[in-house]
Amino acid sequence: MSGSAYQDDRGNKDRSITNPEGQGTLTAYGKATEAKPAGGEAPFLIGDSMTGGYGSGADILHDCTIAVEEGQIAVIVGPNGAGKSTAMKAVFGMLNLRQGTVRIGGRDITDLTPQARVAEGMAFVPQTSNIFTSLTVEENLEMGAFLRRDDIRTTIDQVYDLFPILKDKRRQAAGELSGGQRQQVAVGRALMTQPQVLMLDEPTAGVSPIVMDELFDRIIEVARTGISILMVEQNARQALEIADRGYVLVQGSNAYTGTGKELLADDEVRRSFLGG
Amino acid sequence: MIDFLNAIVALSNFVLIPAISYGSQLALGALGVTLIYGILRFSNFAHGDTMAFGAMATILFTWWLQGLGVSLGPLPTALLALPIGIAITALFLLGTDRLVYQFYRRQKAAPVILVIVSMGVMFVMNGVVRFIIGVDDQRFADGERFIISARDFREMTGLAEGLALRTSTVITVITAVLVVALLFWFLNKTRTGKSMRAFSDNEDLALLSGINPERVVAITWIIVAALATVAGVLYGLDKSFKPFTYFQLLLPIFAAAIVGGLGSPIGAIAGGFVIAFSEVTVTYAFRKVLGYLMPESLQPDGLVQLLSTDYKFAVSFAILIIVLLIRPTGLFRGKAV
């Protein structure tokens, strides 16, 4: 990773003494656990002019702004290496922000740890390793609701209503499911906190086109219940079609911003990013 | 027929019962190793000395209780001191974690570095224990020594062979069963236990689910302290307490954890018994048992002992190597590759 001697992997192949599988890579940057009040009218969730990078490395984001309104779908698209996922991780507190703020519902959460942001109503579905493979489907959902102390039964039922296949497989280890079903578990786990914002990092990566359409339908359904959705997508065209707001990032900065329809209609965006 | 019964009794007395009790102790030790491997992701070389520390803490407290004249009647006083021994060991491990391991966790150090770190911790613990209680054998068992002594058994049954059932054996087996049942219930049924399995499965996602990693780590150390102390005290009650023997226990314990499949709690228990039974069987002199079973003309002249007891560690080592060669993931498909 960063060339640190502590992470030197030499001699780390012997599984009879070391177990690197599932080891954490995330660094939680924030320190605070309480959000600060922030004034001003603003979108529901906004990562405002964020500049920063991983650890003490070079800046990846430059004055990048991402926002989503309540109950709407915002999509981040852009070429490979544009910093799409990085922008999303910055909003979730997994990046060292040197400038800019992150606010949710009028409160400043820039200094919060990712765990504390979960408590503030944010949920994040990573692109890979987004389920607990050795736990059953139902245990995955329970872990999603780890911070909740109230009765989670109704939320589990809601997730089963949204993804009926999960109900049949609830006693099965999540690692035994197909790619599309795993994504459903991942989204279901994130919904268990009853979040106000659901953040999805390429939810359709590696699933078939049919499953992809199905997943997009479900995501729209989730947005209709009033949950804001912030999503990074590789399939830019389909994603922009369902987006209320689209962000095109290039090299860590905002290149184009607009509603999904505007971006789809924009000649330059079409030519550069959507392949004509 | 009587000869056959005598053979069975002799076999039980010298092989089966000792192996069951030794196996329970190894299983408890291997459970601790496997938990650290699964959750903290490295093989803890300091585990043998953690057991020694736990046993030492319990012994010191037992002596204090004995000095006060407190006793549990037929049961060893050590059982009364056990919870306090566990608490002291838990504090000791949490302190070690704060002082040593936490730093490496913050650096996201590769697990192999933690293995070497644990070796350093092992040497320090080794020294601490010897410094406090000394290097010699310590006896702390009291109460009734036997539930059924060999002589009573002979008088009861009229057989030539005696079957001694020691208190420590029975306590070992009962405690081991209780502890294991409690551990499995905790890991599979409670919210905290599930969060530990989730953390073991996928640290990043656990963090994103709001599971506090430091809390998981702390609870793991506390459970490991309990397992190690119980294993250490039971071993000490059964045999005797000597820091060096606990250090040597590291090999059979690791062999048990790897044979069962690292990261698999059921595997650790199975592995413990496999190692214990092999060790005891291979180093037992079968002359007596065979003497009962075979006609006089065929009776063996030698001891019919495959290996001298001095070589008992060679047995665990051989099994360890065979398993790593033939089935590296262990009996229960752990994580070792």
Side-chain angles (χ1 to χ4, degrees):
Chain A
M1 223 165 80
S2 52
S4 151
Y6 294 115
Q7 283 146 15
D8 187 346
D9 215 24
R10 186 173 290 188
N12 202 29
K13 306 284 184 280
D14 185 351
R15 292 297 169 272
S16 60
I17 53 171
T18 67
N19 171 25
E21 249 162 84
Q23 202 191 9
T25 53
L26 298 182
T27 313
Y29 280 97
K31 294 235 163 8
T33 50
E34 294 275 320
K36 288 181 295 203
E41 283 295 302
F44 181 64
L45 171 72
I46 180 165
D48 202 355
S49 27
M50 302 179 292
T51 299
Y54 295 103
S56 51
D59 285 351
I60 297 170
L61 298 180
H62 308 280
D63 201 22
C64 173
T65 298
I66 305 287
V68 57
E69 295 286 354
E70 218 161 343
Q72 291 199 343
I73 299 178
V75 174
I76 308 173
V77 296
N80 283 333
K84 304 184 293 281
S85 296
T86 310
M88 186 125 98
K89 285 179 183 163
V91 173
F92 205 73
M94 296 185 287
L95 212 64
N96 195 3
L97 278 193
R98 279 178 265 281
Q99 267 166 45
T101 54
V102 183
R103 299 190 298 274
I104 184 168
R107 276 167 307 167
D108 189 337
I109 55 169
T110 318
D111 295 330
L112 254 56
T113 59
Q115 308 99 287
R117 288 176 209 230
V118 174
E120 288 292 325
M122 297 170 76
F124 182 59
V125 181
Q127 184 182 345
T128 52
S129 329
N130 49 19
I131 54 169
F132 299 113
T133 47
S134 63
L135 273 59
T136 66
V137 170
E138 189 144 312
E139 281 171 339
N140 264 275
L141 298 182
E142 285 171 24
M143 283 302 106
F146 187 77
L147 286 178
R148 286 176 57 188
R149 287 297 187 170
D150 52 331
D151 187 20
I152 58 170
R153 203 58 244 177
T154 49
T155 322
I156 290 186
D157 288 337
Q158 279 165 9
V159 171
Y160 286 155
D161 286 344
L162 191 64
F163 303 116
I165 185 78
L166 297 189
K167 188 167 190 173
D168 302 331
K169 311 235 170 197
R170 65 181 186 275
R171 304 247 174 269
Q172 216 169 324
E176 296 168 1
L177 303 183
S178 72
Q181 289 164 353
R182 280 160 168 250
Q183 289 295 2
Q184 297 183 3
V185 175
V187 175
R189 181 205 62 83
L191 287 174
M192 286 304 297
T193 42
Q194 294 184 312
Q196 292 162 296
V197 184
L198 179 62
M199 301 172 53
L200 304 164
D201 193 352
E202 303 201 12
T204 61
V207 302
S208 70
I210 301 168
V211 176
M212 185 174 88
D213 287 344
E214 169 86 14
L215 267 173
F216 275 142
D217 285 347
R218 291 289 165 272
I219 289 167
I220 297 172
E221 217 171 295
V222 171
R224 289 222 183 94
T225 61
I227 297 175
S228 312
I229 305 230
L230 181 60
M231 179 163 76
V232 169
E233 241 326 310
Q234 206 56 267
N235 303 297
R237 190 180 290 276
Q238 283 100 323
L240 286 175
E241 271 164 17
I242 65 164
D244 296 300
R245 195 148 191 86
Y247 294 88
V248 181
L249 294 195
V250 176
Q251 295 190 342
S253 325
N254 295 86
Y256 303 93
T257 307
T259 64
K261 286 198 179 62
E262 278 166 14
L263 290 177
L264 282 171
D266 190 309
D267 269 349
E268 206 155 337
V269 173
R270 281 227 315 255
R271 238 179 306 122
S272 325
F273 306 111
L274 304 178
Chain B
M1 187 60 202
I2 291 291
D3 278 350
F4 184 67
L5 281 181
N6 273 325
I8 287 186
V9 168
L11 193 69
S12 307
N13 192 32
F14 293 108
V15 177
L16 299 183
I17 291 178
I20 286 175
S21 129
Y22 182 42
S24 314
Q25 291 148 10
L26 285 187
L28 288 174
L31 269 176
V33 165
T34 240
L35 265 187
I36 295 189
Y37 179 88
I39 295 168
L40 306 181
R41 301 176 201 290
F42 65 94
S43 286
N44 183 16
F45 279 27
H47 199 75
D49 288 290
T50 310
M51 281 167 60
F53 185 91
M56 178 200 73
T58 312
I59 289 171
L60 291 178
F61 205 73
T62 309
W63 284 343
W64 183 71
L65 283 176
Q66 285 170 346
L68 287 181
V70 180
S71 89
L72 275 179
L75 296 174
T77 317
L79 287 185
L80 210 59
L82 191 58
I84 293 149
I86 291 174
I88 294 172
T89 313
L91 286 178
F92 183 65
L93 288 188
L94 289 174
T96 311
D97 182 71
R98 189 52 71 78
L99 205 66
V100 184
Y101 295 114
Q102 194 181 53
F103 170 80
Y104 293 94
R105 246 192 337 272
R106 295 249 164 95
Q107 313 297 322
K108 305 230 171 284
V112 68
I113 290 176
L114 284 164
V115 174
I116 305 302
V117 168
S118 81
M119 210 174 230
V121 170
M122 172 186 90
F123 286 123
V124 174
M125 279 192 186
N126 219 313
V128 167
V129 170
R130 285 164 205 220
F131 200 74
I132 296 178
I133 203 166
V135 297
D136 297 329
D137 253 327
Q138 314 286 348
R139 291 205 44 83
F140 62 105
D142 53 3
E144 211 64 59
R145 240 172 90 68
F146 292 102
I147 290 179
I148 304 170
S149 74
R151 192 203 292 165
D152 288 348
F153 185 86
R154 276 196 292 266
E155 281 168 7
M156 258 157 49
T157 57
L159 291 173
E161 282 300 320
L163 181 81
L165 199 56
R166 299 171 57 197
T167 320
S168 64
T169 308
V170 176
I171 290 176
T172 298
V173 174
I174 292 176
T175 318
V177 169
L178 283 180
V179 167
V180 167
L182 202 66
L183 181 71
F184 276 81
W185 170 81
F186 177 78
L187 286 178
N188 289 313
K189 294 286 178 234
T190 66
R191 186 167 160 277
T192 311
K194 285 178 189 171
S195 78
M196 286 169 66
R197 282 165 54 219
F199 182 84
S200 160
D201 188 299
N202 188 337
E203 244 174 272
D204 284 344
L205 196 61
L207 189 73
L208 295 180
S209 302
I211 295 167
N212 182 355
E214 289 301 314
R215 189 164 167 266
V216 169
V217 170
I219 292 170
T220 307
W221 282 120
I222 293 171
I223 295 176
V224 166
L227 288 170
T229 309
V230 171
V233 169
L234 291 178
Y235 188 85
L237 279 177
D238 206 18
K239 281 124 190 161
S240 74
F241 176 82
K242 191 179 182 189
F244 187 63
T245 19
Y246 280 67
F247 167 69
Q248 285 183 321
L249 271 182
L250 201 60
L251 178 59
I253 284 176
F254 265 96
I258 292 174
V259 166
L262 269 169
S264 156
I266 300 182
I269 297 166
F273 285 104
V274 169
I275 296 290
F277 271 89
S278 328
E279 235 179 58
V280 177
T281 314
V282 172
T283 56
Y284 175 65
F286 279 92
R287 181 192 194 166
K288 197 183 227 174
V289 175
L290 292 179
Y292 282 117
L293 291 178
M294 291 178 155
E296 209 145 334
S297 55
L298 283 178
Q299 271 179 19
D301 296 325
L303 286 170
V304 202
Q305 186 181 20
L306 287 174
L307 269 182
S308 140
T309 40
D310 296 338
Y311 290 111
K312 63 179 182 180
F313 290 116
V315 178
S316 10
F317 211 65
I319 295 177
L320 180 58
I321 289 174
I322 292 169
V323 166
L324 284 176
L325 282 176
I326 295 174
R327 196 181 161 95
T329 49
L331 298 174
F332 283 85
R333 292 241 165 267
K335 286 172 184 164
V337 173

